[in-house]
């Protein structure tokens, strides 16, 4: 559990630097009448099932898995089904697209590391007709397309900028935010995000535990328009719904109740391939039930981009004509600001639950 003092400033609990308007702290007028908010996100890590078919055939003693290797078969391409599900519920979500390095782009010392082989075998190219068509349909349908920074990009602003530029060129529109692959963050990751024009990050969280470790509202680490949406629940951190659906649902229901009790901004991550019922039974049903229950409870449900755009940001005029500024931060001395920035960088790195190793999100 993150120490409460670590993010006290960003949560705006009693700190003079925090903007006074509650919407700046994360309660925009667009959702003021809602009990809480549920942000829906999907990291597009492995949209193609390839060598995993052979692995599953052996691990599950199911030779039918090998049929997925036949041309035209790709059960992990779940975008149409996912969009139809969300359309039926009247909601939209964010899809974060990844441009992972090819193994030959890595130093030879990485070639013997099984982790990088897993990343390499799961990679895909965004500049293909199939992906161009998918991006266009998502954008035209009101879904958010965001950046899923590659494994090493958290500490490589040039790589991160290239990935953002490539995605925007394929999309034909600007990208507002995203999440780092494996939730990786370093001391200057948020600095890099701001420098390349991203307005939010959705990386802080865990693949092993669920909950509101970073508080109930979005964070403003720099006291400006850059916002951080902590991750409340990743599907792989829940009990396997294929083995014990009711136990997994109880955890989801408890998170929704806590969000409602605290007027929280809750964020959920479901990887698209886990909507493949034959390979990952129960996850599709659990996601639908999570969204349905949130709507029944009066939640605002949608992608982080839409929530971000409805927020009042420092320097913007708010409803009623009152201006909101960030003069608490702007008025600091250079020495004070440097100390604050150094402290933020330390805490950002220390809080990274993944650091340099792979998380437990299923690679299968």
């Amino acid at each position: 559990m993150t120490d409460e003092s670590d993010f006290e400033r960003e949560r705006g609990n009693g700190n003079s630097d925090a903007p006074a308007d509650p919407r700046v702290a994360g309660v925009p007028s667009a959702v003021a009448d809602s009990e809480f908010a549920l942000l829906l996100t999907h990291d597009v890590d492995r949209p193609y099932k390839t060598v995993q078919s052979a692995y599953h055939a052996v691990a599950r003693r199911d030779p039918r898995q090998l049929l997925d290797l036949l041309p035209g078969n790709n059960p992990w391409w779940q975008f149409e089904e996912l969009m139809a599900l969300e359309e039926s519920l009247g909601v939209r979500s964010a899809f974060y697209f990844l441009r992972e390095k090819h193994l030959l782009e890595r130093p030879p010392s990485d070639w013997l590391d099984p982790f990088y082989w897993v990343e390499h075998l799961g990679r895909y190219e965004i500049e293909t007709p199939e992906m161009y068509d998918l991006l266009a349909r998502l954008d035209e349908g009101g879904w958010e397309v965001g950046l899923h920074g590659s494994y090493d990009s958290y500490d490589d602003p040039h790589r991160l900028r290239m990935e953002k530029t490539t995605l925007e060129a394929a999309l034909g529109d600007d990208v507002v935010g995203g999440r780092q692959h494996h939730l990786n963050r370093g001391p200057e990751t948020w600095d890099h995000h701001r420098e390349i024009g991203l307005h939010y990050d959705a990386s802080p969280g865990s693949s092993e535990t669920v909950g509101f470790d970073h508080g109930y509202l979005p964070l403003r680490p720099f006291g400006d328009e850059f916002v951080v949406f902590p991750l409340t629940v990743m599907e792989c951190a829940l009990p396997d719904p294929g083995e014990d659906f009711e136990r997994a649902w109880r955890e989801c229901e408890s998170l929704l109740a806590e969000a409602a009790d605290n007027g929280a901004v809750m964020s959920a991550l479901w990887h698209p391939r886990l909507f493949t019922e034959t390979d990952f039974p129960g996850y599709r049903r659990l996601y639908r039930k999570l969204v349905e229950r949130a709507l029944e409870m009066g939640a605002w449900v949608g992608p982080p981009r839409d929530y971000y755009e409805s927020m009042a940001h420092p320097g913007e005029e708010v409803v009623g004509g009152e201006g909101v500024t960030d003069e608490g931060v702007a008025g600091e001395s250079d020495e004070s600001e440097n100390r604050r920035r150094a402290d933020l960088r330390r805490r950002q790195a220390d809080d990274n639950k993944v650091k340099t190793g792979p998380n437990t999100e299923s690679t299968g």
Side-chain angles (χ1 to χ4, degrees), residues 16 33 65 72 77 79 92 96 105 113-114 117 120 137 152 163 177 184 192 211 242 273 285 364:
S16 60
D33 294 331
Q65 292 280 339
W77 187 273
F79 300 103
R92 295 293 186 268
Y96 300 140
E105 294 181 82
D113 189 332
W117 274 98
H120 170 74
R137 285 185 288 122
D152 295 317
E163 293 172 5
N184 278 341
H192 301 331
R273 69 180 182 279
R285 178 187 168 201

Side-chain angles (χ1 to χ4, degrees), residues 32-242:
D33 294 331
S34 301
E35 293 297 322
F36 63 100
L38 173 61
L39 309 183
L40 303 176
T41 68
H42 310 289
D43 291 355
V44 185
D45 294 346
R46 299 176 185 86
Y48 299 99
K49 185 178 182 182
T50 54
V51 295
Q52 295 89 354
S53 300
Y55 171 78
H56 286 179
V58 174
R60 302 178 183 181
R61 299 180 181 178
D62 182 6
R64 292 173 298 177
Q65 292 280 339
L66 296 175
L67 296 175
D68 294 335
L69 293 171
L70 295 175
N73 284 7
N74 181 28
W76 286 6
W77 187 273
Q78 288 289 313
F79 300 103
E80 285 76 14
E81 290 79 359
L82 212 171
M83 293 164 69
L85 186 157
E86 293 181 347
E87 179 75 46
S88 71
L89 297 173
V91 301
R92 295 293 186 268
S93 61
F95 289 81
Y96 300 140
F97 286 86
L98 174 69
R99 187 187 179 92
E100 190 52 71
K101 283 184 178 180
H102 192 284
L103 194 63
L104 295 179
E105 294 181 82
R106 296 189 173 280
S109 59
D110 288 345
W111 296 355
L112 299 179
D113 189 332
F115 171 75
Y116 291 114
W117 274 98
V118 170
E119 292 301 311
H120 170 74
L121 293 172
R123 72 185 299 275
Y124 59 93
E125 297 290 349
I126 202 72
E127 299 120 314
T128 64
E130 188 173 40
M131 281 293 177
Y132 281 136
D133 178 66
L134 172 61
L135 293 177
R137 285 185 288 122
L138 288 170
D139 190 43
E140 293 167 3
W143 280 269
E144 177 186 358
V145 172
L147 179 66
H148 197 33
S150 64
Y151 185 76
D152 295 317
S153 68
Y154 73 97
D155 198 29
D156 185 346
H158 300 293
R159 173 80 192 186
L160 197 63
R161 185 184 297 277
M162 180 275 289
E163 293 172 5
K164 177 176 179 284
T165 301
T166 301
L167 179 59
E168 289 178 332
L171 177 64
D173 204 350
D174 293 336
V175 169
V176 177
R179 175 182 292 122
Q180 289 299 126
H181 194 31
H182 288 271
L183 312 183
N184 278 341
R185 286 181 294 122
E188 299 184 356
T189 300
W190 289 338
D191 295 84
H192 301 331
H193 283 192
R194 294 167 79 226
E195 289 167 6
I196 69 170
L198 293 177
H199 296 291
Y200 79 79
D201 174 52
S203 300
S206 173
S207 60
E208 298 178 345
T209 61
V210 303
F212 297 91
D213 286 1
H214 300 305
Y216 296 110
L217 296 178
L219 318 174
R220 288 194 185 275
F222 304 105
D224 59 12
E225 71 279 0
F226 185 81
V227 172
V228 174
F229 295 110
L231 176 62
T232 310
V233 54
M234 187 190 301
E235 85 285 275
C236 65
L238 294 166
D240 188 337

